[in-house]
Amino acid sequence: MRTRPSWLLRIWSLLIPREFREELLGDLTEAVDRVRAHRGRWAAGVWLASEMVRTPYLRLRRQSRARRTGRGGQRRSWLFSSWLDGIDSVRIAARVLSRRPGFAGVAVGTLALSVGAATVIFGLLEAVLLRPLPYPDAERLHVVYGTNEAWRDGDQEFFRENWDRAGISSEMVESFDALATVEAGGYQAGSVPLQTGEGPAGHIPGGRVGEGFFRTVGTEPLLGRTPSPAEHRSGEHVVVIHETLWARQFGRDPEVLGRTLDLDGAPHTVVGVMPRTFALPEEGSLWWTPFPAEWAEYRDATILNAVARLAPGSETSSVTESINAAMERLASANPAYDVMGARLVSLREEVLGSVSGGLRLLFAAVCVVVLIACVNLANLVVARGARRLPELALRAALGAGRAGLAVTMLLEVALVCLLGAALGVILAAATLAPLVELMMRGLPDFPRAADVSLNTTVLGFSLGVTVLTALLAGLPPTLAATRRAPADILGSADRGSRSRGVRRVQATLLFAESALAMLLLVGAGLLTRSMARVSTLDPGFDSRGVAYVSLRMPEDRFPARADALEALDALERGLSGAPGITSLAEARSLPSLGGSQMVPVRPEGTAGSESALTVMAAVGPGYFETLSIPVLRGRAFEAADDADAPPVAVVSESLARRLFGADDPVGRFITQAEGAVMRGGRTEAGDEESVEVVGVVGDVRQLALVREAEPVLYRPFRQTTSRSALLALSTSGNTRAALEPVRATAAHIEGLVVEDMGVFREQTLELLAPVRLRTVLLGALSSLAAVLAMVGIYGVVSYVVSDRRREIGIRIALGARAEAETHRVVRVAMVPSLGGATVGVIAALGTSRVLESSIYEISRLDPVTYGAAFGLLLSVATLAAWWPARTAARVDPVEVLDHG
Amino acid sequence: MTSHLTDLEQLLLLATLRQDDEAYGAALQRDVEEVADRRVSLGSIHVTMSRLEQQGFVHSELGEPTGGRGGKARRIYTVTDEGIEALNRAREVLEQMWSGVPQEAR
């Protein structure tokens, strides 16, 4: 049994006169407890709410004077009494509404759905886009990309140099406060075996960072310290871990500093823990180490980016200029340098750029839904105002002021809005958590999804939307309804002229509603069609039944590449007889999964400037067969194409065309550079190699499923220097089950790290998850819009039918066909809907530009989509109009003429 | 003095009589709801009882604060002799009215 009244009751008791407070509060507490005990919490809440609504505040106040003085008492202040009158007006409004549950239900439902949707979308927007990045002075943080004039090909931008060694530093460019290099895409470079021992050694994202990285960003560690300059210089095996990893791996042990963590099989000492908010250089990075010492002598191309903190007040453009000028100086002092440029991207753009477009799109869509809800509500209020005109006129005639009448009507709207908003927020609260859960599982890279919550900002927004809706929908019809002189209405029996005005307003609103719904339907239609196209398109390869195992042969365990390949051979031998695995092929990566390299390629004998950056895929024998990529001419790679054999290549169909036109490329030679190479502190164009083309294969979408197939150069895996390998397994039966023996087999091979494994098809589908999420959300919003439009049309037609019952009865009595009457009523709704839909199509033609970057494989002007959306809206409108109109034909003339 | 009682006043007076010494707001509400199947808010009950007290039909006293109701006291109502008289008068009026009603309407 509870001993104290709840906070809600205590606040409420302030409305009760002191003379009644003690016993009333006690009675309520006791009664609520009884209801709760018998019928549960919900029933108790409902009971309490109804008790609060039904309390006669004004009479209690009046009676309190009697109780205090024995009879009448002092006068109440005007302000106080009008406030109490207000409370009583709410009670009256609630009663009036409860007598018309249809109106109230539709209005509350409309509001709940739209406010709920707006709350969910704004909740995402607020947490992801509106909150500042969690770093000190985050607006000064930028990511610097290098660009190379010589390789200006498409939008490929490479940073071929280590900034430190190229001489670019914060001292050199005055505009920087601090600058530090990070490994681009570096989080793919290492793996941390999970010590919990469950399942495979997990691939935990992290990154190698240059000196000053943490200082540049400016975030203090939660625990311990960041690597010292000396540790950076010597490439010490120290690691800073993320709070999440600290919790997962060490159970938040405060003694974690000094313990070790295995990275790529080498123990690293934990020196610090970064707070949960730290998400650089990538969302989800969980550890950071200094660059390895051997990188100082690294001869291969290193691709690095830099994080820079601009000096206060400096502009991005002037910074870019000064970097470029510094580069020019370097290049003129040393002709061996390539001239490089820089491109600055604000950290905000870098982190949120990929999702901001989608979120803004959704927000725009939800605004349209809210507008439709406004229109719907306005329609309902108009219809209601028209029905109540005689009553309002009577009250006006009896002396009620226009303001008073307007307040009465507005109170009803406000009450409906508040109820709807409350339901909407409950709906949003119920939807948001599963949605975020879904996003975090399906889109692990989505920034700041974990921060999404229904906080005061979001709830404030919902309240704002509600108030705005109430005013937009309630005010104009209310003013219109109360504008007319009472004699005008009471005196005239001409219902026709009155309802004609109302119908004009309703037609306008229907028009607007149909146009808005059309806009959203087209948007959702385009995304859905694009999604369907992408899911069914032919990427040039077949991922069915293919599994992959991603392997790493760390340099410190396998100093010579030959040793690494031996380990790979051992694994292949171990797996070749395993059940379910029919064949296997080596590769550096698989199409669409990333990790492809870009290399300059030209036909042998042409000038170096003819080189075009081309996607290079390193693949082994059996690769084309495993992925069902057709060999069109010549041959595929064979086991004999190893490091000792002459360099060979297979080209994709489009690369063959680009290099050799219509000529047969088989037997021709191409010149392939290895990319940038560091030599003695200078950048040089990489080693050039003369390579014989031995075959031509079909085009595949190598970089991404949603991009057109690009030219691909295939080189034998064994003729490259890669330290990572991927085994593509062709399986029979259950693909996942075929992966089971891999882990055990790999465990017998010393030093070999299994980074990841999985079913290829699932991975390719997962890549489409962001596209799918956006499509599903926008689809849901436009379905909502269509439903709301349907409700609106239904409401209008019902109103017309009930308003014209008498007229219809007379017509039928005079011999009109019932069917014709139905059609006449349906037409009332269809004409404005048709007009609105047409305008909506035109508007969609103009605004679909915002979708251009989100749709693939179809045009934004795709006629099928527009036609389908138009047809859908019209059929929905027809259905919504026909349903209530049908009753018009059943009007019994006798009954109507007797009583109507 | 008012010559007649409203039906809510009658219900509440009767309920007060049925409660013996325990006639307070929540008990009256429960009795009216259970026996007469009528939901009356506690606020209305106290307003009505206060008016009846003003008219001299009931007498009320604030009891001691008790547990189980947030430490709040109960206001215990008792029907006065005038109250009982008014109730009986109301019943007589009703019976007289009924006496003239034809048998088939009963």
Side-chain angles (χ1 to χ4, degrees):
Chain A
M1 187 135 296
R2 291 169 69 112
T3 51
R4 296 176 66 80
S6 72
W7 57 270
L8 180 66
L9 271 182
R10 266 180 283 162
I11 293 171
W12 172 79
S13 72
L14 297 177
L15 292 174
I16 304 299
R18 204 173 336 111
E19 289 77 7
F20 284 101
R21 212 173 279 164
E22 177 83 11
E23 56 264 39
L24 201 43
L25 199 54
D27 280 345
L28 259 177
T29 310
E30 185 181 328
V32 164
D33 281 342
R34 186 170 52 90
V35 178
R36 187 184 297 118
H38 283 104
R39 291 188 274 151
R41 285 175 60 96
W42 277 99
V46 171
W47 187 88
L48 187 59
S50 94
E51 194 72 12
M52 286 176 177
V53 169
R54 295 157 57 132
T55 300
Y57 301 91
L58 211 54
R59 277 162 61 209
L60 274 172
R61 181 70 51 177
R62 243 179 258 134
Q63 201 57 38
S64 72
R65 250 177 303 150
R67 175 165 280 180
R68 197 163 54 240
T69 61
R71 51 200 157 79
Q74 77 268 39
R75 295 176 67 84
R76 286 169 292 142
S77 74
W78 174 82
L79 193 69
F80 192 58
S81 86
S82 63
W83 177 60
L84 281 168
D85 283 346
I87 294 177
D88 266 17
S89 309
V90 171
R91 286 183 52 226
I92 294 169
R95 277 201 194 150
V96 171
L97 280 178
S98 66
R99 261 184 246 129
R100 297 209 39 102
F103 164 77
V106 169
V108 167
T110 300
L111 250 301
L113 289 175
S114 60
V115 168
T119 305
V120 167
I121 302 294
F122 184 78
L124 292 180
L125 194 80
E126 192 268 340
V128 178
L129 286 192
L130 298 189
R131 273 187 229 168
L133 291 178
Y135 313 110
D137 288 330
E139 70 284 357
R140 281 163 55 202
L141 287 174
H142 285 69
V143 176
V144 189
Y145 289 101
T147 60
N148 191 316
E149 293 289 314
W151 284 356
R152 189 185 285 156
D153 181 78
D155 56 2
Q156 294 302 323
E157 274 156 2
F158 271 41
F159 200 171
R160 306 192 327 177
E161 260 291 15
N162 180 324
W163 280 81
D164 296 335
R165 274 171 289 159
I168 298 291
S169 66
S170 49
E171 289 80 39
M172 199 166 163
V173 182
E174 290 162 2
S175 320
F176 287 136
D177 248 11
L179 181 136
T181 43
V182 294
E183 190 177 7
Y187 69 106
Q188 290 172 333
S191 72
V192 183
L194 274 173
Q195 289 174 352
T196 47
E198 269 177 43
H203 172 79
I204 299 181
R208 297 178 222 272
V209 297
E211 193 192 331
F213 170 71
F214 294 103
R215 191 165 27 93
T216 306
V217 177
T219 305
E220 291 294 321
L222 197 65
L223 207 67
R225 59 178 179 86
T226 56
S228 68
E231 283 167 340
H232 270 291
R233 271 192 300 279
S234 60
E236 203 72 38
H237 278 188
V238 291
V239 63
V240 175
I241 60 173
H242 190 263
E243 196 181 344
T244 308
L245 190 59
W246 179 40
R248 198 195 299 167
Q249 200 87 326
F250 298 102
R252 305 188 79 89
D253 180 4
E255 304 289 311
V256 66
L257 302 179
R259 290 178 63 179
T260 56
L261 193 68
D262 276 353
L263 282 173
D264 273 352
H268 285 62
T269 310
V270 177
V271 296
V273 177
M274 292 308 282
R276 197 172 289 275
T277 51
F278 195 83
L280 287 173
E282 306 273 345
E283 178 78 24
S285 295
L286 294 185
W287 55 265
W288 303 267
T289 61
F291 290 129
E294 62 267 24
W295 281 24
E297 302 302 320
Y298 210 43
R299 299 197 139 260
D300 219 338
T302 47
I303 298 169
L304 298 170
N305 296 331
V307 174
R309 176 175 287 280
L310 297 196
S314 40
E315 295 286 322
T316 2
S317 55
S318 66
V319 175
T320 314
E321 269 168 36
S322 53
I323 296 177
N324 289 345
M327 281 295 193
E328 295 280 356
R329 280 201 301 280
L330 267 178
S332 56
N334 189 340
Y337 278 104
D338 269 336
V339 177
M340 287 185 40
R343 187 167 63 96
L344 258 69
V345 178
S346 75
L347 191 63
R348 196 180 172 75
E349 176 64 27
E350 173 76 12
V351 173
L352 305 176
S354 61
V355 295
S356 70
L359 279 178
R360 292 213 181 103
L361 186 73
L362 285 175
F363 188 67
V366 93
C367 287
V368 173
V369 169
V370 169
L371 269 183
I372 293 178
C374 276
V375 171
N376 253 1
L377 199 61
N379 239 332
L380 285 168
V381 176
V382 166
R384 235 178 111 52
R387 282 217 176 88
R388 287 179 62 187
L389 264 187
E391 176 210 330
L392 292 175
L394 190 64
R395 291 168 100 191
L398 291 175
R402 186 179 163 203
L405 289 180
V407 164
T408 318
M409 274 186 77
L410 266 185
L411 262 175
E412 277 182 46
V413 178
L415 207 61
V416 162
C417 285
L418 278 182
L419 263 178
L423 264 179
V425 167
I426 292 172
L427 217 63
T431 324
L432 206 53
L435 182 69
V436 167
E437 175 86 22
L438 200 77
M439 279 168 59
M440 287 175 64
R441 202 169 326 129
L443 308 168
D445 295 338
F446 200 94
R448 307 211 268 181
D451 299 343
V452 176
S453 65
L454 282 187
N455 54 27
T456 43
T457 316
V458 178
L459 292 180
F461 171 82
S462 315
L463 188 68
V465 166
T466 311
V467 170
L468 206 67
T469 308
L471 287 179
L472 271 179
L475 210 50
T478 302
L479 293 182
T482 53
R483 195 182 299 137
R484 312 192 47 146
D488 211 28
I489 300 158
L490 289 176
S492 88
D494 178 16
R495 284 161 49 97
S497 74
R498 182 176 85 234
S499 51
R500 255 200 297 284
V502 169
R503 280 211 297 275
R504 230 187 342 264
V505 176
Q506 286 192 326
T508 315
L509 292 175
L510 268 193
F511 183 91
E513 192 165 53
S514 307
L516 291 171
M518 189 68 207
L519 206 59
L520 280 193
L521 279 177
V522 168
L526 285 174
L527 283 185
T528 309
R529 291 244 313 148
S530 145
M531 184 70 219
R533 284 283 184 93
V534 169
S535 316
T536 55
L537 60 81
D538 175 16
F541 58 87
D542 190 353
S543 56
R544 278 175 299 182
V546 178
Y548 67 90
V549 181
S550 169
L551 301 161
R552 197 169 157 73
M553 294 140 307
E555 216 154 345
D556 47 357
R557 308 300 288 268
F558 302 102
R561 182 163 148 89
D563 301 335
L565 293 177
E566 208 155 284
L568 194 59
D569 282 335
L571 181 65
E572 286 175 21
R573 273 196 306 276
L575 289 180
S576 56
I581 299 176
T582 50
S583 71
L584 44 81
E586 293 164 359
R588 172 74 182 81
S589 174
L590 286 178
S592 81
L593 292 193
S596 296
Q597 219 185 323
M598 304 288 285
V599 293
V601 173
R602 63 178 196 269
E604 196 169 63
T606 53
S609 58
E610 296 286 303
S611 293
L613 269 189
T614 307
V615 179
M616 187 185 89
V619 305
Y623 175 83
F624 299 119
E625 199 186 324
T626 304
L627 292 185
S628 313
I629 300 171
V631 177
L632 304 174
R633 311 181 79 100
R635 62 171 177 92
F637 294 131
E638 289 157 3
D641 295 321
D642 59 12
D644 304 324
V648 290
V650 168
V651 295
S652 73
E653 211 180 345
S654 53
L655 182 62
R657 233 184 348 263
R658 196 170 79 186
L659 293 175
F660 304 107
D663 300 348
D664 184 358
V666 175
R668 304 276 296 264
F669 282 81
I670 56 174
T671 303
Q672 178 216 320
E674 251 181 41
V677 168
M678 287 292 303
R679 264 205 192 114
R682 296 183 314 159
T683 321
E684 287 173 7
D687 281 341
E688 289 200 336
E689 211 177 355
S690 178
V691 184
E692 185 188 355
V693 177
V694 295
V696 179
V697 294
D699 279 331
V700 298
R701 297 185 175 227
Q702 181 75 15
L703 290 184
L705 280 183
V706 292
R707 285 171 65 151
E708 283 298 316
E710 47 285 288
V712 182
L713 174 76
Y714 296 93
R715 293 294 314 276
F717 180 77
R718 303 263 166 162
Q719 288 184 355
T720 64
T721 56
S722 178
R723 285 278 162 184
S724 303
L726 195 137
L727 286 185
L729 310 175
S730 185
T731 65
S732 59
N734 186 328
T735 310
R736 190 164 289 286
L739 281 169
E740 267 160 29
V742 173
R743 181 84 46 201
T745 313
H748 293 302
I749 301 162
E750 188 68 24
L752 189 68
V753 182
V754 177
E755 282 193 330
D756 192 17
M757 52 193 206
V759 177
F760 184 33
R761 191 164 182 78
E762 287 173 8
Q763 286 294 313
T764 57
L765 290 179
E766 206 167 275
L767 290 172
L768 296 176
V771 185
R772 195 176 300 122
L773 182 74
R774 196 161 32 188
T775 310
V776 166
L777 284 180
L778 196 67
L781 287 180
S782 49
S783 313
L784 189 57
V787 167
L788 290 184
M790 197 164 160
V791 168
I793 292 166
Y794 181 90
V796 168
V797 176
S798 314
Y799 171 77
V800 170
V801 171
S802 71
D803 195 50
R804 286 199 189 171
R805 269 175 76 82
R806 196 180 159 82
E807 180 194 331
I808 294 168
I810 293 172
R811 282 168 178 277
I812 292 178
L814 290 176
R817 280 187 24 245
E819 265 169 52
E821 286 309 300
T822 310
H823 287 161
R824 271 167 46 83
V825 174
V826 167
R827 213 174 305 134
V828 171
M830 291 313 289
V831 171
S833 296
L834 197 70
T838 311
V839 169
V841 166
I842 296 167
L845 285 172
T847 53
S848 61
R849 193 165 298 121
V850 301
L851 282 178
E852 212 145 42
S853 61
S854 316
I855 55 176
Y856 314 97
E857 307 293 321
I858 59 164
S859 152
R860 68 179 181 86
L861 305 177
D862 177 51
V864 177
T865 306
Y866 284 77
F870 194 80
L872 181 68
L873 187 64
L874 278 199
S875 35
V876 162
T878 315
L879 190 71
W882 173 78
W883 191 257
R886 171 182 72 99
T887 60
R890 299 211 197 111
V891 169
D892 179 2
V894 178
E895 188 201 334
V896 170
L897 296 177
D898 270 1
H899 308 283
Chain B
M1 190 160 293
T2 324
S3 55
H4 70 274
L5 296 168
T6 66
D7 63 336
L8 179 62
E9 286 170 341
Q10 290 183 46
L11 282 177
L12 285 175
L13 282 173
L14 289 169
T16 309
L17 287 169
R18 285 158 53 88
Q19 305 301 314
D20 292 336
D21 298 337
E22 283 295 296
Y24 62 101
L28 294 179
Q29 186 191 39
R30 190 171 28 187
D31 200 38
V32 170
E33 187 163 357
E34 282 172 5
V35 179
D37 195 21
R38 187 157 157 190
R39 173 95 154 77
V40 187
S41 76
L42 288 166
S44 304
I45 288 175
H46 282 291
V47 164
T48 311
M49 293 308 279
S50 166
R51 202 168 56 224
L52 287 172
E53 187 172 16
Q54 216 183 338
Q55 293 168 336
F57 293 149
V58 295
H59 172 74
S60 81
E61 237 168 71
L62 217 49
E64 287 300 308
T66 45
R69 41 188 279 130
K72 301 288 178 195
R74 290 169 175 170
R75 184 173 287 278
I76 308 284
Y77 296 97
T78 42
V79 182
T80 60
D81 291 347
E82 286 91 342
I84 294 175
E85 201 180 303
L87 264 178
N88 279 307
R89 213 165 40 237
R91 180 178 164 174
E92 276 165 26
V93 170
L94 277 180
E95 278 170 356
Q96 275 173 16
M97 291 302 285
W98 273 109
S99 68
V101 175
Q103 199 59 40
E104 55 268 27
R106 294 195 180 200

